[in-house]
C-alpha cells in the first residue's frame, strides 16, 4: 500500500508546495458590454470600494450591448505563492494604451510596469500619480483590474514555453532578424493577493471601451462653470490684504479670474498641518471669504492631510492614525469613520461652512522617502500598501461629500488618484515642469479616467510663457501656479496682450467646454483625449499599408508611430501645441476635412501638414461640420441662471448637430433632472447659405441662453 500511494502523495506534496492552481473564472454581466470576472477570493477592499464609485446605469444602457471582445477561454486566472496571476490574449498587431498617467509614452506594449502610486519619476515604469490598472487595446476593448495592491504588469513582454503563438527560436550568431524581445501574445498581471476581480469592456472602438470604463465609475466629473474659468495660485505667505490686491490687479488689467488658490501660509502651521487659519495673515477669515465671494472670486485652500501635534484635533484623532508619521504629522486612517468625522469635520467647520469653494490636496502620492513606509500599521487593519494606492481616492471622495451635502459643486486639485476616480471633482498636478511631457500626460489622462492640468508657473522667456499659457487654455483647468514665483499673467510685458487674448478666448469658449464636460459625465467621453481615440485617425491604415509604399504616403507612416504632442479637445477640436524655440511643426489630420479654428480656412484631409502659426497662435483645427458655441468675453463665469449671448460658429459644409448642455452651473440639481441638452442643427443650402436651428429649453428646465447668432467660418 505504501508503494501504491507513494507517487500520488509526492505529486500532491509538490502541488501544495508550489501552490499553483488554475482557477475557474466566475463571470457576471454587470452592464451592456461590461463583464466582471473573479478569481479565487477577491479582497473586500479595492479601488471601487475606496472611491465609492456608483455606475451610471443610464449611461451604460444608452451605449447599447456589444459582444465579448475575445474568447473567455483565452483569459487565464491562477493562484501561486499567495498571489493571483491573470493573463489576457494579445494579437500580433495590437497596440496597448493606458496603465496610468504616463508622462513620456503613449504606446505601452512591451512595457514591464509596477503600478504604484508615486510622485513623478520620469521613467514611465508604472510609478505615477494615477497608476490606474486599466488598459485599452487598439482592437477596441478594455481591461480593468480592481485591486488596491501594487500590481506587476508584463504588457506583451513575456513568452510562454507552450502556446498557440510561440515565436521561432533564432540563432543570434547567424540570423540578423534575431531580437532580444521576441513576440509575446499575452498581457500578464501579478496581483499580490489570494484573489482578484477584473472587468472587461467591449468596444467595438477603443473610445467605446473608455466610455464604458468611465461610466462604470459613475461618469466623468461635471465641474461648476466657475471651475472652467481662470485660477491664480498666490505666493505661500500672502496675507488677506495681498490676496485682495491680487484680485484687484486682475480686475484693473481686465484679466479673467474665477478662483484664487491660497498656499500653505493660510494655516497657522504646515508640513504637518493644523487646518486652522493663521490669525496674523488672515485675522478675520469669515469676513475675508465673504468679501472675496462678493467680488465674484472663490477661494481654494492648499493642505496636506498630515496632522500637526499643534492642531486642535490632534489628541482626538491620534487613536485613528498610523504608527508612522509624515513630516512628524499623524496620518489619519481615512478608511475609518471616526478618523473621517474628525478630519473632515474640522475642514467643514473652519473652512467649507464659511464659504471656501475647494481644496488642493498635496503630498498624497509619494516619494517613498517622505510618505509612510510599507511596514506602517494602520488601526483599521488595512495595509500600508492598500492605503498608499487609495489615499488620493479617499481624500477626494470624502472632501467632495462635504460639498455634495451642501448641494454645491466643487473643483480642486490633487496629487494622486486611481481606478474608480473618474467622477471625483479633482484635477491632478505635480512638481514636474516639462512642457512636452505635460502634453503627453494630458493625452494619457484619457486612458486613465483622470484629469490633468499642464499648469503654468514661470518661464525663462516671454515666448515660453505664451506657449505654456496657450496649452493651459486648452486643458481641464486653466491655472497659473505662482506659489513660489509670484508670476502674473502680465509678468512678461512683451506677450501680455497675447496672453490676455488667450485668457479671454478661454472664457468665450465656456459654453463649448461646459457641454463637453457634460458629455464626460453623461456619456463617459473624455473632454481631452488621445488621437488614438478619434474616429478616422487610424481607419483604413492597414488597408493602405498593403497597397501603398510608406515612402509615398506620409500619413500612413505618421499614424503608425507614437503620437504624443497633439490631442482632441471636445467633439470637434484638434489641438497641436507649440513649444519654445519651435517656429514650425507637423500636424496629423485624421480622415475627413479639417479647418483652421481661427479663420475657417481649409487645412487638409487625412494628411500630414507642416504649419508655421506665428507666436500669437496655438494651432487648432476643427473637423468638417464642427459647431463651436461661443459665449461673451466675461471676466468671471456666469452666475447661476445668468443669461448670456451665444455666437455659434460653424466650420466646413457637412450637415451637423451639436448637443449644447445647460443647467444652473453650480448645484447638483442636474442629478434630479434639472438640466437640458439643446440640439443645434446646421447645414448649408445649395447656394451656400446656412440653414440653422436650436431647440427650445423644455418648460421648467434651466435656460441661461439669451440672444443666439450663427456665424459661418469661411476663408
Amino acid at each position: 500500500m505504501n508503494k501504491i500511494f507513494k507517487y500520488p502523495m509526492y505529486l500532491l506534496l509538490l502541488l501544495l508546495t508550489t501552490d499553483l492552481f488554475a482557477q475557474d473564472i466566475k463571470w457576471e454581466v454587470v452592464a451592456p458590454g461590461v463583464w466582471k470576472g473573479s478569481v479565487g477570493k477577491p479582497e473586500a477592499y479595492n479601488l471601487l470600494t475606496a472611491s465609492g464609485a456608483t455606475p451610471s446605469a443610464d449611461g451604460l444602457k444608452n451605449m447599447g450591448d456589444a459582444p465579448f471582445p475575445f474568447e473567455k477561454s483565452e483569459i487565464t486566472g491562477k493562484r501561486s505563492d499567495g498571489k493571483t496571476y491573470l493573463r489576457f490574449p494579445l494579437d500580433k498587431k495590437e497596440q496597448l494604451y493606458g496603465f496610468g498617467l504616463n508622462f513620456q509614452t503613449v504606446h505601452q506594449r512591451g512595457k514591464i510596469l509596477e503600478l504604484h502610486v508615486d510622485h513623478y519619476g520620469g521613467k514611465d515604469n508604472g510609478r505615477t500619480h494615477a497608476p490606474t490598472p486599466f488598459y485599452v487595446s487598439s482592437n477596441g476593448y478594455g481591461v480593468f483590474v480592481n485591486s488596491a495592491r501594487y500590481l506587476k504588469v508584463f504588457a506583451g513582454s513575456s513568452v510562454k514555453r507552450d502556446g498557440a503563438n510561440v515565436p521561432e527560436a533564432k540563432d543570434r550568431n547567424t540570423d540578423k532578424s534575431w531580437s532580444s524581445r521576441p513576440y509575446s501574445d499575452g498581457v500578464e498581471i501579478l496581483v499580490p493577493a489570494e484573489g482578484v476581480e477584473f472587468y472587461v469592456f467591449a468596444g467595438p472602438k477603443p473610445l467605446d471601451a473608455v466610455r464604458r470604463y468611465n461610466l462604470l465609475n459613475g461618469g466623468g466629473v461635471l465641474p461648476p462653470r466657475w471651475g472652467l474659468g481662470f485660477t491664480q495660485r498666490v505666493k505661500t505667505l500672502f496675507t488677506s490684504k495681498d490676496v485682495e490686491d491680487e484680485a484687484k490687479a486682475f480686475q484693473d488689467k481686465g484679466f479673467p479670474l474665477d478662483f484664487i488658490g491660497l498656499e500653505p501660509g493660510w494655516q497657522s502651521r504646515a508640513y504637518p498641518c493644523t487646518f486652522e487659519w493663521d490669525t496674523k495673515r488672515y485675522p478675520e477669515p469669515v469676513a475675508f471669504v465673504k468679501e472675496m465671494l462678493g467680488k465674484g472670486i472663490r477661494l481654494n485652500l492648499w493642505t496636506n492631510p498630515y496632522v500637526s501635534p499643534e492642531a486642535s484635533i490632534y489628541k482626538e484623532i491620534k487613536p485613528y492614525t498610523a504608527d508612522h508619521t509624515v513630516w512628524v504629522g499623524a496620518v489619519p486612517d481615512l478608511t475609518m469613520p471616526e478618523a473621517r468625522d474628525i478630519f473632515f469635520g474640522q475642514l467643514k467647520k473652519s473652512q467649507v461652512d464659511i464659504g471656501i469653494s475647494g481644496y488642493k490636496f498635496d503630498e498624497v502620492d509619494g516619494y517613498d522617502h517622505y510618505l509612510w513606509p510599507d511596514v506602517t500599521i494602520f488601526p483599521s487593519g488595512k495595509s500600508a500598501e492598500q492605503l498608499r494606492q487609495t489615499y488620493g481616492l479617499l481624500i477626494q471622495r470624502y472632501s467632495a461629500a462635504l460639498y455634495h451635502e451642501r448641494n454645491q459643486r466643487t473643483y480642486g486639485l490633487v496629487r494622486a488618484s486611481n481606478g474608480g476616480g473618474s467622477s471625483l471633482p479633482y484635477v491632478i498636478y505635480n512638481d514636474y515642469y516639462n512642457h512636452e511631457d505635460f502634453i503627453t500626460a494630458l493625452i494619457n489622462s484619457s486612458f486613465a479616467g483622470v484629469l490633468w492640468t499642464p499648469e503654468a508657473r514661470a518661464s525663462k522667456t516671454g515666448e515660453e510663457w505664451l506657449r505654456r499659457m496657450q496649452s493651459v487654455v486648452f486643458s481641464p483647468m486653466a491655472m497659473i501656479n505662482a506659489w513660489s514665483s509670484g508670476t502674473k499673467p502680465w509678468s512678461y510685458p512683451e506677450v501680455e496682450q497675447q496672453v490676455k487674448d488667450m485668457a479671454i478666448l478661454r472664457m468665450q469658449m465656456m459654453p463649448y467646454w461646459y457641454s463637453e464636460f457634460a458629455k464626460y459625465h453623461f456619456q463617459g467621453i473624455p473632454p481631452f483625449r488621445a488621437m488614438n481615440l478619434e474616429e478616422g485617425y487610424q481607419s483604413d491604415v492597414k488597408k493602405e499599408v498593403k497597397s501603398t509604399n510608406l515612402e509615398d504616403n506620409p500619413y500612413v507612416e505618421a499614424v503608425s508611430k507614437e503620437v504624443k504632442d497633439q490631442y482632441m479637445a471636445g467633439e470637434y477640436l484638434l489641438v497641436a501645441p507649440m513649444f519654445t524655440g519651435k517656429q514650425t511643426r507637423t500636424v496629423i489630420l485624421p480622415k475627413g476635412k479639417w479647418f483652421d479654428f481661427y479663420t475657417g480656412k481649409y487645412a487638409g484631409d487625412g494628411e500630414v501638414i507642416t504649419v508655421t502659426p506665428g507666436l500669437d497662435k496655438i494651432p487648432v483645427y476643427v473637423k468638417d461640420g464642427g459647431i463651436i458655441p461661443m459665449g461673451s468675453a466675461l471676466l468671471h463665469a456666469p452666475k447661476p441662471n445668468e443669461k448670456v449671448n451665444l455666437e455659434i460658429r460653424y466650420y466646413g459644409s457637412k450637415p451637423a448637430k451639436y448637443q449644447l448642455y445647460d443647467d444652473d452651473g453650480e448645484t447638483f440639481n442636474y442629478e434630479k433632472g434639472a438640466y437640458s441638452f439643446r440640439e443645434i442643427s446646421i447645414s448649408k443650402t445649395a447656394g451656400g447659405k446656412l440653414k440653422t436651428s436650436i431647440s427650445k429649453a423644455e418648460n421648467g428646465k434651466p435656460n441661461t441662453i439669451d440672444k443666439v447668432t450663427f456665424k459661418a467660418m469661411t476663408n
Side-chain angles (χ1 to χ4, degrees), residues 435-436 438-440 442-443 454 466-472 474-475 531 563-568 574-580 582-587 598 611 613-614 617-621:
H435 190 183
E436 289 90 338
F438 271 16
I439 300 305
T440 303
L442 183 57
I443 291 166
L466 179 56
R467 292 307 190 198
R468 287 184 178 275
M469 288 298 294
Q470 289 168 346
S471 296
V472 158
F474 288 89
S475 81
M531 297 305 304
V563 177
K564 53 184 184 178
D565 63 353
Q566 65 177 66
Y567 58 93
M568 295 299 298
L574 187 161
V575 182
M578 297 293 296
F579 305 109
T580 306
K582 305 290 185 181
Q583 281 73 50
T584 64
R585 67 156 293 160
T586 59
V587 181
Y598 307 98
V611 297
K617 297 288 192 296
I618 175 175
V620 180
Y621 301 92

Side-chain angles (χ1 to χ4, degrees), residues 236-297:
T236 295
L237 297 181
F238 258 33
T239 66
S240 56
K241 178 64 166 58
D242 294 329
V243 175
E244 291 166 1
D245 291 344
E246 187 99 329
K248 187 176 187 304
F250 271 78
Q251 181 74 30
D252 292 345
K253 286 184 169 288
F255 275 81
L257 182 64
D258 269 293
F259 61 113
I260 288 178
L262 307 187
E263 289 293 310
W266 75 269
Q267 292 190 53
S268 56
R269 291 178 183 268
Y271 286 91
C273 298
T274 58
F275 317 103
E276 298 160 358
W277 292 89
D278 183 277
T279 56
K280 292 182 180 179
R281 286 186 284 270
Y282 297 88
E284 298 182 60
V286 175
F288 165 65
V289 174
K290 183 178 181 180
E291 181 180 355
M292 295 303 295
L293 287 172
K295 296 176 180 178
I297 307 295

